[in-house]
Amino acid sequence: MQEFHHGALDEIVHELVTMSDAVQVAVRDATRALLEADASIAERVISDDARIDTMHDQLEQRCFSLLARSTPVAGELRTIVAAMQVIADIGRTGDLAAHVAEIARMRYPEHAVPAPLVPNFTRMSQVAQEMVGKAGRTLLERDPDAAAMLASEDDEMDELRSEQFRLIASDDWTFGVEAAVDTALLGRYYERIADHAVAMGGRIIYVITGEAPEGEDWPTT
Amino acid sequence: MQEFHHGALDEIVHELVTMSDAVQVAVRDATRALLEADASIAERVISDDARIDTMHDQLEQRCFSLLARSTPVAGELRTIVAAMQVIADIGRTGDLAAHVAEIARMRYPEHAVPAPLVPNFTRMSQVAQEMVGKAGRTLLERDPDAAAMLASEDDEMDELRSEQFRLIASDDWTFGVEAAVDTALLGRYYERIADHAVAMGGRIIYVITGEAPEGEDWPTT
């Protein structure tokens, strides 16, 4: 057993921020592919997701090696375990961005999202990107207050999703069954991206304070 | 630092199997609530999910304590880390069963699933329950071959979901937009349950062999 290397842990945290930046870009580009019906951007997001998955696997392995090769004390152990969970959250967020791009690609050259829902999805994507970005920065800055704010930002995401359901269920919905299904699944993907950002916030609070946040705002994943 | 307690790790694995049994029941009951439009069963599944979340939190804490209080060697460390990931998979599966029950409750006294899709969802639920049950038993029996089979069982789930999309997109779909949206989201929930079972299989293979399974059959979550 070697003494614990703080440098190795700091490096992992920096790589995690790089990974969350890549995922934030994936969410932005997937949304552009979706709203502009751009198949080439969609293809790029989907192929880039393989790179994010590779980062996921490598970072997970590095955390494991760090656990195996040294004797971290409680605070360091918390950080490594939380890092492994955050790696899973960010990896999953990348998968969800790729799912958005897959719907864009499937409907090309048509637009998957009907025109009246474009502002809603534009805002959903902005909220998702902001939340992923904030979760990444919070990790670096170890700011529990910023991490806690992620749960309240998630409320806007829930409201945007409710608005989608109201429109789909209304008499104004003239876009058919297929567009309704696409909208419901896309809304679900963005909602899950926000959930993962909230979960990341919760894990960061745990690292800093040693206590998990309480309450139903904090999803198990 | 104490010497590593195998007994504590065995206990955690047994609790994980208990948790996966509870989740398997949740998937069964949520499906019953859905297909029989039974609001009281739906309510029970939703309230029982809080108990599954509590099991999740307690087991995660026990794994963490085990990491913090002893010096596990590589094989034991792999098992603890994999156990933490499996805890997340099972907890998430419980959430997905609750989401199925929430749709049943929302549409009550109506049936959320149109009659022609009942056999499809019945089978989806069977496959999901079998996969969750197999993942739980594989954990106990440490059988990498059984764990590897989970990836191929997932293929039937994908085919069932494709069948749903074909029906929704066909001229035979006379059940309107709302039922199409419910079907798409429900299909997504069952598909994700299967994904988590496959992921659990992958983690079990990693524990036993020390190597992660390769290939796109193995989801990151």
Side-chain angles (χ1 to χ4, degrees), chain B residues 92-173:
Chain B
R92 190 68 208 134
T93 302
D95 293 341
L96 290 161
H99 287 341
V100 170
E102 281 158 9
I103 290 185
R105 182 175 66 176
M106 183 169 62
R107 298 302 174 210
Y108 177 83
E110 303 295 321
H111 284 69
V113 170
L117 271 167
V118 168
N120 177 295
F121 275 105
T122 302
R123 184 64 195 145
M124 261 202 163
S125 171
Q126 283 168 351
V127 174
Q129 287 172 60
E130 282 165 18
M131 290 177 74
V132 172
K134 187 169 288 181
R137 283 193 307 280
T138 306
L139 197 68
L140 200 61
E141 293 158 12
R142 298 173 64 93
D143 179 350
D145 295 331
M149 277 180 57
L150 284 163
S152 59
E153 284 178 54
D154 190 38
D155 293 344
E156 182 177 356
M157 193 59 103
D158 292 342
E159 177 48 35
L160 287 163
R161 191 141 191 252
S162 296
E163 189 182 306
Q164 294 175 356
F165 282 122
R166 281 196 297 275
L167 186 58
I168 291 173
S170 76
D171 294 336
D172 296 338
W173 188 264

Side-chain angles (χ1 to χ4, degrees), chain A residues 53-113:
Chain A
D53 288 344
T54 303
M55 290 170 83
H56 168 280
D57 294 347
Q58 288 173 343
L59 269 173
E60 191 176 76
Q61 190 52 49
R62 280 171 65 178
C63 287
F64 186 81
S65 299
L66 200 58
L67 278 178
R69 290 200 204 126
S70 56
T71 50
V73 299
E76 294 151 348
L77 192 59
R78 265 208 308 274
T79 304
I80 300 170
V81 169
M84 293 183 95
Q85 293 170 324
V86 168
I87 290 164
D89 285 318
I90 302 178
R92 190 69 207 131
T93 301
D95 293 340
L96 290 161
H99 288 339
V100 170
E102 281 159 8
I103 290 185
R105 182 174 67 175
M106 182 169 61
R107 299 302 175 211
Y108 177 83
E110 303 295 320
H111 285 68
V113 170

Side-chain angles (χ1 to χ4, degrees), chain A:
Chain A
M1 283 280 174
Q2 299 169 7
E3 201 179 324
F4 187 76
H5 291 289
H6 290 279
L9 187 52
D10 288 346
E11 265 176 40
I12 287 172
V13 170
H14 272 90
E15 294 270 342
L16 262 175
V17 175
T18 304
M19 191 178 162
S20 81
D21 287 346
V23 165
Q24 198 182 3
V25 168
V27 174
R28 183 197 68 196
D29 290 351
T31 307
R32 216 180 123 197
L34 181 72
L35 299 182
E36 298 174 12
D38 188 321
S40 67
I41 298 177
E43 285 294 349
R44 200 183 61 222
V45 172
I46 293 163
S47 62
D48 281 356
D49 186 46
R51 290 198 305 124
I52 292 169
D53 288 344
T54 303
M55 290 170 83
H56 168 280
D57 294 347
Q58 288 173 343
L59 269 173
E60 191 176 76
Q61 190 52 49
R62 280 171 65 178
C63 287
F64 186 81
S65 299
L66 200 58
L67 278 178
R69 290 200 204 126
S70 56
T71 50
V73 299
E76 294 151 348
L77 192 59
R78 265 208 308 274
T79 304
I80 300 170
V81 169
M84 293 183 95
Q85 293 170 324
V86 168
I87 290 164
D89 285 318
I90 302 178
R92 190 69 207 131
T93 301
D95 293 340
L96 290 161
H99 288 339
V100 170
E102 281 159 8
I103 290 185
R105 182 174 67 175
M106 182 169 61
R107 299 302 175 211
Y108 177 83
E110 303 295 320
H111 285 68
V113 170
L117 270 167
V118 168
N120 176 296
F121 275 105
T122 302
R123 183 64 197 146
M124 260 202 164
S125 171
Q126 284 168 350
V127 174
Q129 287 173 59
E130 282 165 18
M131 289 177 74
V132 172
K134 188 169 287 181
R137 283 194 305 281
T138 306
L139 197 68
L140 200 61
E141 292 159 11
R142 299 173 64 93
D143 180 350
D145 295 331
M149 275 179 58
L150 284 164
S152 59
E153 284 177 52
D154 190 39
D155 293 344
E156 183 178 355
M157 193 60 102
D158 292 342
E159 178 48 34
L160 287 163
R161 190 140 192 253
S162 297
E163 189 182 305
Q164 294 174 356
F165 282 124
R166 280 195 298 275
L167 185 59
I168 290 172
S170 76
D171 295 336
D172 296 337
W173 188 263
T174 55
F175 309 100
V177 161
E178 192 175 81
V181 165
D182 284 348
T183 298
L185 290 174
L186 288 163
R188 174 77 184 158
Y189 300 148
Y190 285 102
E191 181 192 46
R192 289 297 297 155
I193 290 172
D195 286 344
H196 283 287
V198 174
M200 284 167 63
R203 306 195 206 287
I204 293 160
I205 291 173
Y206 178 66
V207 166
I208 301 166
T209 66
E211 288 188 18
E214 295 271 335
E216 59 181 27
D217 280 345
W218 300 94
T220 49
T221 295

Side-chain angles (χ1 to χ4, degrees), chain B residues 29-158:
Chain B
D29 289 351
T31 307
R32 215 179 126 198
L34 181 72
L35 299 182
E36 298 175 12
D38 188 321
S40 66
I41 297 178
E43 285 293 351
R44 199 183 64 221
V45 172
I46 294 163
S47 62
D48 280 356
D49 186 45
R51 288 198 307 123
I52 292 169
D53 286 345
T54 303
M55 289 170 84
H56 169 280
D57 294 348
Q58 288 173 344
L59 269 174
E60 190 175 75
Q61 190 52 50
R62 278 172 66 178
C63 286
F64 186 82
S65 299
L66 199 58
L67 277 178
R69 290 201 202 124
S70 56
T71 50
V73 298
E76 295 152 349
L77 192 58
R78 264 208 309 273
T79 304
I80 301 171
V81 169
M84 292 182 94
Q85 293 170 324
V86 168
I87 290 164
D89 285 317
I90 302 178
R92 190 68 208 134
T93 302
D95 293 341
L96 290 161
H99 287 341
V100 170
E102 281 158 9
I103 290 185
R105 182 175 66 176
M106 183 169 62
R107 298 302 174 210
Y108 177 83
E110 303 295 321
H111 284 69
V113 170
L117 271 167
V118 168
N120 177 295
F121 275 105
T122 302
R123 184 64 195 145
M124 261 202 163
S125 171
Q126 283 168 351
V127 174
Q129 287 172 60
E130 282 165 18
M131 290 177 74
V132 172
K134 187 169 288 181
R137 283 193 307 280
T138 306
L139 197 68
L140 200 61
E141 293 158 12
R142 298 173 64 93
D143 179 350
D145 295 331
M149 277 180 57
L150 284 163
S152 59
E153 284 178 54
D154 190 38
D155 293 344
E156 182 177 356
M157 193 59 103
D158 292 342

